[in-house]
């Protein structure tokens, strides 16, 4: 299985390659798009300018391509919105054509209408089905066959059983990617109604409590859940293996326990979310994941793998913020 890491800027590429990443994904939003459509009609659902989430100019893409040629670790570009307006499809097709001319051939796309439009325009780019897609199942993948999708990225709520069913039963002999570390999205991508932009706080970052205000026992239980979540995410950090920087591998989403089963199921690529994350934290995640994959290769069974992995990464207790239970 290969590590696919998120890039927030071209400055991170070399660092992450040396840490052990095999592939990358990043957003590309030309200023002309941001100027015309703002945050209301996003290109990839990450309309951020004030910190490193995506690339904003063709010159940066050209520099990145030279780095790809040197290190040999490919980069795919994201177009993650679930839909676009009619006037935007020709604009996006032109952007993708320019990116292909710059040397980028694979694009993460969530909108089936965009896939159809690209094929109608005879644009033969590589398409990876986005993890922002609302649902992935055998019937849905059969509908996607005419688009020539090269890779399926399962969303966060797909169980291992779902993945196995899709891989073994669907006539879709390609690559399969699954989330492995960081950002266990509350809303599973497609169902998020937040705007990821500079002006507003993301909805998943707004404090909230779960419970019935009319039932004290439920409210008390909800408060305990919130306190436990805070502890898991390192806000208190007691009893958890935080490093000197206060960082815990997998604190905001972890699927490491399931790696053995993911390999058995047929997952070929592991998605390590990181756009907007601190560069040193991402570097640590990549190194830790590379270490864990080495443990996986040397393990004879799932129990042996989990024992070795937890002893290496979580000697004082697992973060418990799991993708796959």
């Amino acid at each position: 299985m290969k590590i696919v890491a998120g890039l927030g800027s071209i400055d991170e590429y070399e660092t992450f390659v040396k840490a052990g990443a095999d592939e990358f994904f990043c957003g590309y939003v030309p200023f002309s798009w941001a100027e015309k459509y703002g945050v209301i009609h996003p290109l990839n659902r990450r309309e951020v300018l004030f910190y490193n989430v995506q690339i904003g100019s063709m010159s940066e893409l050209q520099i990145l391509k030279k780095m790809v040629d040197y290190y040999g670790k490919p980069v795919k570009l994201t177009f993650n919105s679930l839909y676009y307006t009619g006037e935007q499809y020709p604009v996006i097709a032109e952007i993708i054509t320019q990116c292909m001319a710059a040397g980028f051939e694979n694009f993460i796309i969530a909108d089936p209408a965009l896939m159809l439009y690209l094929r109608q325009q005879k644009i033969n780019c590589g398409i990876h089905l986005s993890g922002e897609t609302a649902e992935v199942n055998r019937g849905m993948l059969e509908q996607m066959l005419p688009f020539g999708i090269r890779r399926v990225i399962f969303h966060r709520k797909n169980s291992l059983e779902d993945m196995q069913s899709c891989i073994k039963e669907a006539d879709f002999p390609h690559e399969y990617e699954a989330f492995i570390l960081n950002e266990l999205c509350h809303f599973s991508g497609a169902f998020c109604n937040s705007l990821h932009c500079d002006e507003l706080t993301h909805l998943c970052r707004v404090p909230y409590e779960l419970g019935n205000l009319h039932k004290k026992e439920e409210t008390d239980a909800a408060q305990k859940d919130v306190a436990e979540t805070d502890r898991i995410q390192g806000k208190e950090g007691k009893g958890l293996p935080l490093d000197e920087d206060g960082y815990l591998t997998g604190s905001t989403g972890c699927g490491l326990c399931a790696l053995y089963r993911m390999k058995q199921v047929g997952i070929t690529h592991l998605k390590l979310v990181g756009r907007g994350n601190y560069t040193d934290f991402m570097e640590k995640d990549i190194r830790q994941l590379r270490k864990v994959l080495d443990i996986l290769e040397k393990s004879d069974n799932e129990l042996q793998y989990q024992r070795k992995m937890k002893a290496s990464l979580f000697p004082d207790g697992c973060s418990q913020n799991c993708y796959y239970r």
Side-chain angles (χ1 to χ4, degrees), residues 127-148:
I127 295 177
H128 293 187
L129 181 66
S130 173
E132 298 284 282
T133 306
E135 188 51 84
V136 178
N137 55 47
R138 285 176 290 167
M140 178 263 205
L141 291 182
E142 289 172 0
Q143 295 295 317
M144 295 292 174
L145 280 174
F147 302 138

Side-chain angles (χ1 to χ4, degrees), residues 121-309:
Q121 300 303 308
K122 310 300 181 183
I123 298 175
N124 192 30
C125 62
I127 295 177
H128 293 187
L129 181 66
S130 173
E132 298 284 282
T133 306
E135 188 51 84
V136 178
N137 55 47
R138 285 176 290 167
M140 178 263 205
L141 291 182
E142 289 172 0
Q143 295 295 317
M144 295 292 174
L145 280 174
F147 302 138
I149 294 174
R150 297 179 182 178
R151 184 182 301 175
V152 174
I153 305 173
F154 291 106
H155 61 69
R156 295 170 176 86
K157 300 296 175 67
N158 276 123
S159 66
L160 293 171
E161 291 75 16
D162 292 337
M163 297 178 192
Q164 185 174 33
S165 175
C166 290
I167 294 171
K168 290 190 174 181
E169 301 297 333
D171 184 18
F172 208 88
H174 300 296
E175 299 170 332
Y176 296 90
E177 186 174 320
F179 286 83
I180 193 65
L181 281 180
N182 299 340
E183 298 304 334
L184 181 58
C185 177
H186 299 202
F187 309 108
S188 189
F191 299 102
C192 176
N193 290 310
S194 177
L195 292 174
H196 292 75
C197 60
D198 301 304
E199 295 84 357
L200 299 171
T201 298
H202 306 169
L203 286 179
C204 55
R205 302 301 187 194
V206 176
Y208 64 88
E209 293 183 5
L210 300 176
N212 188 327
L213 295 178
H214 301 290
K215 295 183 179 179
K216 185 178 184 304
E217 62 274 12
E218 290 186 9
T219 301
D220 291 344
Q223 290 174 342
K224 290 181 180 179
D225 288 341
V226 171
E228 177 64 10
T229 299
D230 287 348
R231 185 184 71 83
I232 288 173
Q233 293 183 346
K235 295 176 182 177
E236 294 179 10
K238 297 177 181 178
L240 292 175
L242 304 178
D243 66 11
E244 64 277 5
D245 297 319
Y247 185 64
L248 171 66
T249 300
S251 63
T252 60
C254 180
L256 295 178
C257 284
L259 265 183
Y260 188 92
R261 285 174 289 160
M262 291 170 75
K263 183 179 180 181
Q264 301 300 112
V265 162
I267 297 300
T268 58
H269 293 76
L270 302 169
K271 189 180 188 75
L272 205 167
V273 181
R275 292 187 290 164
N277 198 353
Y278 293 111
T279 300
D280 55 341
F281 286 179
M282 272 294 291
E283 182 181 4
K284 290 176 183 178
D285 280 336
I286 295 168
R287 293 188 185 281
Q288 296 285 49
L289 183 53
R290 179 59 62 194
K291 180 193 298 185
V292 168
L293 286 173
D294 185 55
I295 292 173
L296 178 65
E297 289 300 315
K298 297 176 181 178
S299 299
D300 297 326
N301 53 63
E302 184 176 8
L303 181 60
Q304 184 183 82
Y305 159 72
Q306 290 201 7
R307 284 177 175 171
K308 290 181 179 179
M309 183 274 293

